[in-house]
Amino acid sequence: MTTRARLLGVCLLALYLTTGYGQEGKFSGPLKPMTFSVFEGQELSQIIFQFKADPPAVTFKLTGETDGIFQIQPDGLLYHNRSLDRETRAVHRLQVSALDAQGNTVEGPVPITIEVKDINDNRPMFVQPNYEGSVRQNSRPGKPFMYVNATDLDDPATPNGQLVYEIIMQLPRVNNVMYFQINNKTGAISLTLEGSRELDPVKNPSYNLVVSVKDMGGQNDHSFSDSTSVNIMVKENIWKAPEPVEISENSTSPLPIKITQVQWNEPGAHYSLEVKEKPPTFPFSIDQEGYIYVTQPLDREETDTYVFYAVAKDEYGKPLAFPLRISVKVKDVNDNPPACPSALTVFEVQENEQIGSSIGTFTAHDMDEENTVNSLLGYRLVDQTPTVPRDGLFLVEAYSGTVKLAEQSLRKRDAPQYNLTVEVSDKDFKTFCHVHVNIIDTNDQIPIFEKSDYGNLTLAEDTAVGSTILTIQATDADEPHTGSSKILYRVTQGDSEGCLEIDTDPQTNAGYVKVKKPLDFETVHIHNIVFQAENPEPLVPGVQYNASSAATFRLIVTDVDEAPQFLQQVFQAKVSENVARDTKVGNVTAKDPEGLDISYSLRGDKRGWLKIDPVTGEIFSVAPLDREAESLYQVQVVATEVGGSSLSSTAQFHLTLMDVNDSPPRLVKEYTGLFFCHPPKAPGSLIFEVTDDDQQSFLGPRFRFALGSESLQSDWEVSGINGTHARLSTKHTNFEERVYYIPIRISDSGRPPLEGTVSLPVTFCKCVEETCFKPAGHLPGIPTVGLAVGILLTTFLVIGIILAVVFIRMKRNKGQNNAGSARASEVKPLRS
Ligand SMILES: *[C@@H]1O[C@H](CO)[C@@H](O)[C@H](O)[C@H]1NC(C)=O
Ligand SMILES: *[C@@H]1O[C@H](CO)[C@@H](O)[C@H](O)[C@H]1NC(C)=O
Ligand SMILES: *[C@@H]1O[C@H](CO)[C@@H](O)[C@H](O)[C@H]1NC(C)=O
Ligand SMILES: *[C@@H]1O[C@H](CO)[C@@H](O)[C@H](O)[C@H]1NC(C)=O
Ligand SMILES: *[C@@H]1O[C@H](CO)[C@@H](O)[C@H](O)[C@H]1NC(C)=O
Ligand SMILES: *[C@@H]1O[C@H](CO)[C@@H](O)[C@H](O)[C@H]1NC(C)=O
Ligand SMILES: *[C@@H]1O[C@H](CO)[C@@H](O)[C@H](O)[C@H]1NC(C)=O
Ligand SMILES: *[C@@H]1O[C@H](CO)[C@@H](O)[C@H](O)[C@H]1NC(C)=O
Ligand SMILES: *[C@@H]1O[C@H](CO)[C@@H](O)[C@H](O)[C@H]1NC(C)=O
């Protein structure tokens, strides 16, 4: 061992001691395959492990990838004498053998692996000092169009080799908007959303970016960085919506027709068409060159514009960019004839319409595009049927279609309807439309009577009401069944009494003259009647009813003998019921239309109370009248003509009798059930009611009550409760078990008052459950005479039998005393 070797040995030993390499296991041990991790760079030299060898081994040998750095001492101490470099060799594969004194291998070689652990001792570096790239305007945001790439020698499995890219600067930069973005892991550069929208080669054809790369994931203060410059050319986007296309409808060119093209910036894109809302037919297609075709004939009248979108996709079906809006306008050609507004247009016009008046406007329609010559319509009248009274009665304005009256006013009598044919034409087509003009009648005709005089008619005055006496007729030339031709008849003269009425037959306009009120010879016997015929509708100006609308008629009424007539059907009179006999109670009056004398008589005087003076009609009483029997006395009075046909008529005579106080008060009913229980425990009372047959004053009846005799006042008391009811009270309890008849005087409130005495039966009887106990058929305590006799006889019979028995026994048992028989005679009286 040289001095140097020994010196090193001391030095290593010191290290060995201070770092605790003496212990078995972690720092020293027997020879076996082992793996060690050692950081690169840091330590100039370091002991790794001490191998122990058992005899005969005395020394160790190291082989393998030592690179002149690893050494082993004879005592087994393995160390490196220079710092390691992972980038030079990341793993050293060594072999250690144990040798004996002769140098023969006694153990091993055993593989010892040294892994060199990375430290960040390398800067990232961009592969190129600067980059050139280009991007299409409107490229899809996020889709990379170029990459930058940096390398770092450090272990990519550790943060030391993990690189992060970042755009430090974009030049130019407007409004602080970044148009470019970089994927911080891959270095892929793409457009931002703004960049995709706003980049425009016309405004700015190139941009410069400064891109940095950092290792340590960019997170560490000790990370290394590098930067590079990236120049980007902005290229025009040829993926642009083409100009709107115009195609003529109803084209005869063979289909499909190429109409426009779209093109993606690079070849290889897949094209398709899309529609927002699917129309019923979609007559367009696109091929893989981006050419768009129309595939079916178009009809502007069905769809006049189409809007759809062209889409470019990559081979994975991902859209390459925004869809392009394709707009196709269908150009009109005059392929539609004018259409009539309806199969038949009907106008109406009044007879007296002025020349030049508009009758109606006729508007035909053309489906071709509005406000073009294709739909500009002209009108012409080509036919008028009928041509009465002449042709050319109408005209149609050439462009407005207004139908007017050309020549003269129309008359429905000439023709009620005109059929017109109107030719409507556009640039190329002609259509014929039908118009009917109906003439409306106006009330320009007056009713005319068939004759002006209906002659003389004689009628008896008793002609029945409702009978038709005459039929009159006028005619009206206006349109039938309208208010212009209907006729209303009225009587304008000769019927001031209103005896006649006239009904019109709606079909024939015949007027039926009827009797409405009885005719009366005595009032008027000759009626000079004038009939007037009129329309319900007013006449048009300038036309008036004249004498032809009136007719005359003479009605002669003849006399008929008529019965006398009472001035009233009911005569009423009122007298007091106590009027004296032969008092006049009323009168009746009748008159004979012919003025004959009248004789009066009565009928139905069932009580024989009245008589009538046959000449004057005065009525007298002949007997006492009684309101209580008949308050309203009704008889019939008869008036008979004296002479003539002795016709008679009747009326009613009602005589109301007024009350006088002539009825005494009385009990309202027969009181049989009034009773007190016997023996009475305390004085009691009963209530009874009285009435009076006289008419009562409106205040109601008022009665006063008193006992019938002074002697009763010690036992009874009577007192009124109200107008109709009174109370009868006992004054003590000493009453016998029998019926008492209590006389009570009652006076009414008439002037003068009338007094009556009633007898009120009151029974004292034994009570069972608060009701009078009555053995069948008898009142309690009132034995009938028969019953009393029966009881008496029975008692005597029993006594008789007992006496007989006693006498018989006394005969048999002499000497016995009478006591037993006396006891035997103690018989309870029969209970009644
Ligand atoms: C390390 O050891 C090798 C021989 O194994 C020697 O050549 C080299 O000079 C030594 N290096 C140092 C710095 O001692
Ligand atoms: C970056 O460059 C390295 C070395 O040239 C290469 O291995 C790697 O694939 C490149 N990465 C990219 C994303 O181009
Ligand atoms: C890298 O980008 C991702 C996603 O864009 C982001 O989540 C991550 O924070 C970024 N890393 C750094 C270091 O900026
Ligand atoms: C095309 O035009 C002809 C006449 O020009 C017409 O008869 C036909 O109806 C039209 N077709 C459509 C779909 O408009
Ligand atoms: C008008 O035409 C209708 C049929 O549409 C026919 O019934 C009528 O008689 C015609 N009128 C005239 C006046 O020709
Ligand atoms: C109607 O009677 C009048 C007189 O009462 C007489 O003058 C006239 O001639 C009579 N007319 C007819 C048509 O009998
Ligand atoms: C009444 O007028 C009609 C026409 O409206 C005419 O025919 C008739 O003669 C006139 N009658 C008289 C009495 O004037
Ligand atoms: C007959 O009664 C009327 C009222 O009905 C009366 O005016 C006329 O004086 C009365 N005549 C007599 C004689 O009472
Ligand atoms: C009078 O009194 C009796 C008994 O209290 C009662 O029943 C009756 O309704 C009364 N009558 C009138 C008119 O108050």
Side-chain angles (χ1 to χ4, degrees):
M1 196 180 283
T2 63
T3 319
R4 195 167 158 200
R6 195 172 291 134
L7 225 158
L8 181 73
V10 174
C11 178
L12 281 174
L13 186 64
L15 203 89
Y16 168 75
L17 289 175
T18 52
T19 53
Y21 276 71
Q23 295 151 299
E24 286 287 323
K26 197 166 177 192
F27 303 111
S28 64
L31 187 60
K32 58 178 182 184
M34 292 182 84
T35 299
F36 299 96
S37 290
V38 182
F39 275 105
E40 65 169 332
Q42 286 161 329
E43 301 287 344
L44 287 180
S45 65
Q46 195 180 353
I47 294 164
I48 294 166
F49 199 77
Q50 176 149 40
F51 295 106
K52 301 270 176 64
D54 297 325
V58 293
T59 185
F60 293 88
K61 187 176 82 168
L62 180 67
T63 55
E65 299 163 341
T66 60
D67 293 354
I69 300 169
F70 293 98
Q71 290 181 2
I72 195 160
Q73 291 206 350
D75 59 357
L77 204 61
L78 175 68
Y79 66 99
H80 60 92
N81 71 349
R82 264 198 286 135
S83 62
L84 301 175
D85 181 19
R86 194 199 64 85
E87 287 72 34
T88 311
R89 188 185 293 278
V91 178
H92 295 260
R93 288 182 184 78
L94 308 175
Q95 292 87 39
V96 176
S97 316
L99 307 179
D100 62 11
Q102 285 76 39
N104 298 319
T105 302
V106 292
E107 255 187 278
V110 170
I112 301 295
T113 307
I114 309 292
E115 292 173 355
V116 183
K117 290 213 288 181
D118 189 46
I119 62 167
N120 190 21
D121 54 354
N122 288 284
R123 288 160 43 92
M125 284 184 54
F126 278 103
V127 177
Q128 294 171 223
N130 53 59
Y131 289 82
E132 298 288 337
S134 69
V135 63
R136 287 271 179 199
Q137 179 185 13
N138 302 125
S139 291
R140 190 154 53 78
K143 182 171 184 288
F145 59 86
M146 68 178 292
Y147 289 87
V148 293
N149 191 1
T151 55
D152 186 317
L153 293 178
D154 287 321
D155 186 354
T158 65
N160 303 337
Q162 279 173 14
L163 304 184
V164 172
Y165 299 95
E166 191 187 355
I167 296 173
I168 304 288
M169 200 186 290
Q170 168 194 310
L171 289 173
R173 186 160 169 183
V174 183
N175 295 336
N176 206 21
V177 177
M178 287 297 287
Y179 292 150
F180 302 94
Q181 58 190 351
I182 192 163
N183 183 312
N184 62 19
K185 279 210 174 62
T186 63
I189 298 175
S190 61
L191 293 185
T192 60
L193 190 61
E194 293 78 9
S196 171
R197 282 192 193 140
E198 294 173 21
L199 278 188
D200 184 353
V202 177
K203 284 188 194 153
N204 200 354
S206 81
Y207 285 82
N208 188 265
L209 307 181
V210 175
V211 176
S212 78
V213 61
K214 284 183 182 163
D215 63 10
M216 302 290 285
Q219 300 295 316
N220 197 295
D221 289 344
H222 305 297
S223 62
F224 295 111
S225 69
D226 189 16
S227 64
T228 188
S229 156
V230 179
N231 281 312
I232 300 170
M233 297 293 299
V234 180
K235 290 200 285 184
E236 194 197 2
N237 187 5
I238 58 171
W239 180 246
K240 270 189 194 159
E243 290 294 308
V245 185
E246 284 202 345
I247 324 169
S248 282
E249 61 171 331
N250 209 352
S251 157
T252 48
S253 319
L255 295 165
I257 307 167
K258 196 184 277 185
I259 54 170
T260 187
Q261 189 191 12
V262 294
Q263 203 180 2
W264 178 239
N265 296 311
E266 280 93 37
H270 298 267
Y271 301 105
S272 58
L273 297 181
E274 286 180 3
V275 203
K276 283 231 172 83
E277 277 166 37
K278 189 98 184 132
T281 58
F282 182 66
F284 299 98
S285 67
I286 191 167
D287 68 9
Q288 289 317 303
E289 305 295 306
Y291 285 112
I292 298 174
Y293 301 88
V294 58
T295 57
Q296 289 166 29
L298 302 180
D299 183 7
R300 190 203 66 86
E301 285 73 44
E302 193 183 297
T303 313
D304 59 359
T305 38
Y306 291 89
V307 170
F308 50 93
Y309 295 87
V311 183
K313 290 179 178 167
D314 63 15
E315 63 265 46
Y316 309 110
K318 237 182 131 190
L320 290 163
F322 303 107
L324 299 182
R325 186 176 193 272
I326 315 288
S327 145
V328 175
K329 185 169 184 293
V330 185
K331 275 202 297 189
D332 188 46
V333 301
N334 189 23
D335 57 355
N336 284 284
C340 299
S342 60
L344 178 65
T345 306
V346 178
F347 294 133
E348 292 190 328
V349 59
Q350 281 206 332
E351 287 188 322
N352 56 346
E353 209 55 81
Q354 306 252 314
I355 293 174
S357 307
S358 163
I359 294 172
T361 295
F362 178 79
T363 311
H365 180 70
D366 191 302
M367 298 247 288
D368 287 317
E369 190 168 1
E370 278 174 42
N371 305 322
T372 67
V373 287
N374 295 342
S375 64
L376 177 65
L377 302 181
Y379 300 88
R380 195 163 68 89
L381 183 63
V382 294
D383 184 56
Q384 169 197 323
T385 310
T387 52
V388 285
R390 53 190 292 183
D391 202 0
L393 290 172
F394 303 93
L395 62 83
V396 180
E397 288 189 345
Y399 288 102
S400 68
T402 302
V403 180
K404 287 186 163 178
L405 212 50
E407 285 291 337
Q408 63 181 58
S409 293
L410 304 172
R411 294 200 305 173
K412 186 158 189 174
R413 286 181 295 289
D414 297 338
Q417 184 184 53
Y418 291 91
N419 290 358
L420 307 182
T421 306
V422 176
E423 176 200 275
V424 187
S425 53
D426 67 10
K427 191 158 64 88
D428 304 309
F429 298 95
K430 277 188 172 68
T431 304
F432 294 97
C433 299
H434 299 285
V435 181
H436 283 187
V437 179
N438 292 336
I439 315 303
I440 304 171
D441 185 54
T442 56
N443 193 11
D444 56 356
Q445 297 295 310
I446 57 171
I448 310 271
F449 267 106
E450 55 177 355
K451 53 186 174 185
S452 60
D453 186 4
Y454 281 88
N456 299 351
L457 178 67
T458 304
L459 280 183
E461 63 174 330
D462 63 352
T463 302
V465 168
S467 43
T468 300
I469 59 169
L470 178 69
T471 303
I472 56 179
Q473 178 77 61
T475 52
D476 191 302
D478 285 316
E479 189 176 3
H481 311 301
T482 66
S484 301
S485 65
K486 187 176 174 185
I487 299 177
L488 301 181
Y489 297 98
R490 73 196 162 91
V491 177
T492 54
Q493 283 175 36
D495 185 24
S496 54
E497 308 294 312
C499 293
L500 301 181
E501 64 180 351
I502 309 169
D503 290 344
T504 305
D505 182 325
Q507 299 302 321
T508 64
N509 269 337
Y512 301 103
V513 183
K514 293 181 182 176
V515 179
K516 184 175 156 200
K517 257 169 60 180
L519 299 170
D520 188 16
F521 170 84
E522 286 74 22
T523 318
V524 189
H525 52 271
I526 296 182
H527 296 266
N528 286 311
I529 287 171
V530 176
F531 298 120
Q532 175 73 37
E534 287 170 354
N535 298 126
E537 284 285 308
L539 294 170
V540 296
V543 178
Q544 279 165 357
Y545 296 107
N546 66 14
S548 300
S549 304
T552 57
F553 171 58
R554 174 184 285 243
L555 176 62
I556 299 148
V557 181
T558 56
D559 191 25
V560 174
D561 185 15
E562 290 158 302
Q565 286 172 353
F566 279 101
L567 300 185
Q568 295 159 245
Q569 273 312 297
V570 179
F571 293 87
Q572 286 178 317
K574 214 184 225 185
V575 289
S576 275
E577 59 177 327
N578 61 348
V579 288
R581 203 176 283 207
D582 289 331
T583 307
K584 181 187 167 192
V585 297
N587 74 359
V588 298
T589 313
K591 288 253 162 25
D592 183 62
E594 285 78 41
L596 294 179
D597 286 341
I598 289 171
S599 162
Y600 298 99
S601 57
L602 288 179
R603 206 184 277 166
D605 180 16
K606 49 189 189 293
R607 291 189 188 265
W609 283 352
L610 302 174
K611 72 171 186 201
I612 189 162
D613 184 316
V615 178
T616 64
E618 290 170 301
I619 299 170
F620 300 90
S621 65
V622 292
L625 307 180
D626 183 11
R627 191 198 67 81
E628 284 72 34
E630 249 358 299
S631 61
L632 179 64
Y633 192 53
Q634 304 188 7
V635 296
Q636 285 181 317
V637 286
V638 182
T640 311
E641 282 178 357
V642 178
S645 336
S646 300
L647 293 173
S648 67
S649 56
T650 59
Q652 295 286 327
F653 179 69
H654 291 177
L655 182 62
T656 306
L657 297 181
M658 291 181 299
D659 194 39
V660 297
N661 191 17
D662 53 358
S663 302
R666 60 176 174 83
L667 291 172
V668 289
K669 60 176 183 181
E670 204 184 328
Y671 282 98
T672 54
L674 299 177
F675 72 97
F676 292 107
C677 288
H678 192 269
K681 295 193 180 72
S685 67
L686 296 165
I687 289 171
F688 62 95
E689 185 184 355
V690 300
T691 187
D692 188 324
D693 297 322
D694 287 320
Q695 200 175 26
Q696 306 300 343
S697 77
F698 67 94
L699 285 170
R702 292 262 143 217
F703 297 107
R704 284 191 298 281
F705 302 89
L707 286 172
S709 78
E710 302 271 319
S711 61
L712 290 167
Q713 281 179 0
S714 54
D715 300 334
W716 302 92
E717 186 177 316
V718 68
S719 60
I721 298 173
N722 49 30
T724 56
H725 290 67
R727 177 176 284 117
L728 177 67
S729 315
T730 55
K731 285 187 157 174
H732 54 80
T733 57
N734 294 332
F735 289 91
E736 292 170 46
E737 188 178 347
R738 67 172 175 85
V739 182
Y740 292 80
Y741 292 90
I742 315 298
I744 295 169
R745 280 187 292 131
I746 310 165
S747 51
D748 65 18
S749 53
R751 275 181 206 164
L754 221 58
E755 188 179 89
T757 303
V758 300
S759 172
L760 198 63
V762 178
T763 307
F764 285 83
C765 59
K766 289 230 161 50
C767 285
V768 173
E769 291 174 354
E770 298 299 310
T771 58
C772 222
F773 175 81
K774 295 178 194 174
H778 302 293
L779 283 173
I782 319 167
T784 60
V785 175
L787 187 65
V789 172
I791 294 167
L792 213 61
L793 285 179
T794 311
T795 310
F796 287 143
L797 190 65
V798 170
I799 292 170
I801 291 168
I802 292 168
L803 286 178
V805 170
V806 168
F807 276 116
I808 291 164
R809 288 184 67 158
M810 274 174 67
K811 268 192 170 176
R812 284 184 187 168
N813 313 327
K814 289 175 183 167
Q816 276 190 338
N817 66 35
N818 291 348
S821 63
R823 204 175 296 133
S825 69
E826 271 185 21
V827 174
K828 284 189 178 170
L830 277 175
R831 196 174 157 187
S832 58

